[in-house]
Amino acid sequence: MPKNMKGPALFLAQFADDTAPFNSLDTIADWAAGLGYKGLQIPSGDARLMDLDKAADSQTYCDDLRGMLGERGIEITELSTHIQGQLLAVHPAYDKQFDGFAPAAVHGNPKARTAWAHDQLIKTAQASRKLGLDVTVSFSGSLAFPYLYPWPQRPAGLIEEAFDELARRWKPVMDAYDDLGVDIAFELHPGEDLFDGATFEMLLERLDNHPRCTINYDPSHFLLQQLDYLAFIDIYHERIKAFHVKDAEFRPDGRQGVYSGYQPWVDRAGRFRSLGDGQVDFRAIFSKLAQYGYESWAVLEWECCLKDSATGAAEGAPFIMDHIIDVTEKAFDDFADSGLSKQETRELLGLS
């Protein structure tokens, strides 16, 4: 029997804050439930929302967390390791910037920072298993992205070596996730080494088509790259295990295009927008995902450069609900089934 996509859900990374109701999981869950959300995607490293060490170690803590949310009609959709995945592989050009995402104890020490990220990723897999979750969402990190455009000409083997090293860092993580029955769904995102289908395949090949190497589908990043985000679903639907519902628009002019001229977000040719305010064809996306049997969560990620986050969240839940397709259990022309036997069918073909 076909199953419907689940939703609406909300990614909390852009909403968690030090002010109420966004400074604790119970109060932010109350707020989200009041807007109509049924699921929350939780950044695993945000101590305001959950204690990752406890979640990795204690089934009781995880049961209590689920119970508290369940009382509010909320489920956890996935745990996010975007920050930890990013810090598993950092090009030296970004060391100082990314140190700000890591504990002070590892600042200025890239090897210690990488080890910390690895440990965090493993703990998130353990916590996911105790929470009954089969998927996490993450970034791949980046060693090659500063060399995206081949000028000056890249030295022979540079990209290959970068992806070889990326695979060396992710392989033991993937194996640990496999032991626990948890997928890693990479958000393919500019700034990461995995930012489109070609780069995803480069890592997947080096991981010997690892079953836990999957995709968090986010069409906004593909629209800004001018990639065919519908054809992407046709190609990679078997690997799509999570879905960020995020809108964007691309309006090039005589001064800027895909690279957007170093302009601030509000002035860029390519901008993230709240749901319905951009150019992403969500009717077609939800149809494609339904066609291929996607039955996990539709999760709003809000990153609009214009609209207030509270407004974007309030509008997002009904937008997603309006797009989730109630998948039919029968074909529209079943009523016209002639009911012929196999022998009669062969006779129609002149085979008997």
Side-chain angles (χ1 to χ4, degrees):
M1 179 180 297
K3 294 183 179 179
N4 294 339
M5 188 184 305
K6 294 182 286 188
L10 183 68
F11 184 28
L12 295 183
Q14 287 81 19
F15 293 91
D17 196 281
D18 290 333
T19 59
F22 306 107
N23 57 348
S24 70
L25 188 58
D26 56 346
T27 55
I28 205 170
D30 286 334
W31 168 78
L35 295 177
Y37 289 100
K38 301 176 182 178
L40 296 176
Q41 188 177 90
I42 301 175
S44 66
D46 193 325
R48 293 168 299 194
L49 302 177
M50 65 176 289
D51 185 321
L52 181 57
D53 289 333
K54 282 187 179 179
D57 185 61
S58 171
Q59 185 65 57
T60 299
Y61 175 81
C62 290
D63 291 344
D64 289 345
L65 205 62
R66 292 180 64 188
M68 179 274 291
L69 293 173
E71 292 172 357
R72 293 159 169 81
I74 295 283
E75 297 181 47
I76 302 174
T77 65
E78 300 94 7
L79 297 182
S80 155
T81 60
H82 286 82
I83 296 301
Q84 300 98 318
Q86 175 73 74
L87 298 186
L88 191 68
V90 175
H91 187 278
Y94 304 124
D95 270 339
K96 289 186 180 297
Q97 291 167 277
F98 280 130
D99 266 356
F101 292 109
V106 301
H107 288 185
N109 187 338
K111 288 186 177 180
R113 186 184 59 211
T114 298
W116 173 84
H118 178 100
D119 181 64
Q120 287 272 300
L121 288 162
I122 301 303
K123 287 177 178 175
T124 301
Q126 295 166 343
S128 294
R129 187 70 282 136
K130 289 181 172 64
L131 289 165
L133 304 174
D134 298 328
V135 183
T136 64
V137 291
S138 194
F139 281 154
S140 68
S142 174
L143 301 172
F145 199 80
Y147 307 101
L148 173 69
Y149 197 83
W151 179 255
Q153 184 177 2
R154 292 187 292 251
L158 182 145
I159 299 299
E160 290 75 14
E161 181 59 33
F163 274 81
D164 288 348
E165 178 61 25
L166 198 68
R168 281 192 287 269
R169 297 188 189 191
W170 275 106
K171 180 61 163 61
V173 177
M174 290 284 172
D175 289 345
Y177 273 62
D178 196 29
D179 289 342
L180 291 164
V182 180
D183 291 334
I184 299 173
F186 287 116
E187 182 172 348
L188 306 182
H189 188 296
E192 310 302 316
D193 279 347
L194 305 192
F195 58 86
D196 59 9
T199 51
F200 175 76
E201 290 180 18
M202 289 170 68
L203 180 63
L204 185 64
E205 179 183 3
R206 286 165 169 79
L207 293 174
D208 298 322
N209 293 310
H210 203 291
R212 299 301 171 184
C213 183
T214 65
I215 295 168
N216 174 37
Y217 176 76
D218 183 336
S220 69
H221 301 302
F222 297 155
L223 185 139
L224 298 190
Q225 297 178 62
Q226 294 294 280
L227 182 153
D228 188 334
Y229 54 81
L230 296 177
F232 183 96
I233 299 174
D234 290 327
I235 299 168
Y236 299 108
H237 58 89
E238 292 182 352
R239 292 276 175 175
I240 294 174
K241 300 298 182 180
F243 175 24
H244 270 178
V245 189
K246 190 170 74 175
D247 210 344
E249 62 184 354
F250 180 63
R251 303 184 186 279
D253 58 26
R255 290 186 172 87
Q256 57 167 292
V258 170
Y259 300 113
S260 291
Y262 293 117
Q263 298 306 296
W265 275 111
V266 72
D267 296 325
R268 292 172 69 90
R271 312 188 297 184
F272 297 130
R273 299 300 308 276
S274 284
L275 294 184
D277 294 344
Q279 298 170 334
V280 174
D281 186 350
F282 284 106
R283 291 287 179 201
I285 287 172
F286 276 77
S287 295
K288 282 278 188 187
L289 291 173
Q291 172 186 342
Y292 290 115
Y294 177 80
E295 58 185 42
S296 193
W297 288 90
V299 180
L300 168 66
E301 183 179 22
W302 173 89
E303 289 185 343
C304 186
C305 63
L306 294 176
K307 186 171 286 182
D308 178 73
S309 60
T311 303
E315 294 176 350
F319 183 95
I320 291 173
M321 280 300 299
D322 183 54
H323 283 76
I324 291 177
I325 294 172
D326 188 8
V327 181
T328 182
E329 297 181 12
K330 62 180 181 180
F332 68 90
D333 58 354
D334 281 350
F335 75 95
D337 182 8
S338 62
L340 294 181
S341 67
K342 182 176 181 178
Q343 178 60 34
E344 290 170 322
T345 299
R346 290 180 59 80
E347 291 173 2
L348 284 178
L349 296 170
L351 300 177
S352 299

